[in-house]
Amino acid sequence: MSKESSFDIVSKIDLAEVANAINIAMKEIKTRYDFKGSKSDISLEKDELVLISDDEFKLEQLKDVLIGKLIKRGVATKNIQYGKIEPASGGTVRQRAKLVQGIDKDNAKKINTIIKNTGLKVKSQVQDDQIRVSGKSKDDLQKVIAAIREADLPIEVQFVNYR
């Protein structure tokens, strides 16, 4: 029983689900009374959301509708970083929101310290934008998963390739 088990910790957003959530949100906005005649729009440009509306109040409502639809589609809203609100053409306001994919170095360090603080016999390696955790005991790996889920991380993480 010397075979090592492992899993990967990743942080990914399903862009197809984001596109679906945007379509559903736009359908709702077109039918809502408080958005009648407004120039509200949500678009996806590569890995960035662009929200456009008449004023900041409507932009916040637009954001609330979008977040509700993203949650229903199972997309992590922790991985969305909103930029500042800027004026756009035609008297509208625009806000860009970056979709964060992958685990950056700072968050990788936080996750590694959480793993080390458990005191379990597991090894963790940072590989590009993911972390591989390996150990002899599957029970230890499950305890590591539980510890990371309990931790309050600034990004949403998923556990894949559990073997």
Side-chain angles (χ1 to χ4, degrees), residues 23-36:
N23 289 337
I24 295 167
M26 286 307 298
K27 281 182 187 174
E28 180 177 323
I29 287 162
K30 283 183 175 58
T31 59
R32 272 181 52 166
Y33 178 75
D34 54 342
F35 280 102
K36 279 262 193 284

Side-chain angles (χ1 to χ4, degrees), residues 72-116:
K72 278 187 182 175
R73 304 290 306 175
V75 177
T77 56
K78 266 188 181 179
N79 291 11
I80 301 174
Q81 294 177 340
Y82 293 98
K84 63 181 198 294
I85 297 172
E86 55 196 43
S89 63
T92 59
V93 290
R94 176 189 313 126
Q95 186 173 25
R96 294 186 180 276
K98 187 169 177 17
L99 300 173
V100 179
Q101 300 258 31
I103 301 173
D104 60 335
K105 290 196 184 320
D106 295 336
N107 289 319
K109 283 182 184 177
K110 287 178 189 173
I111 292 171
N112 274 333
T113 55
I114 292 167
I115 293 169
K116 287 199 177 18

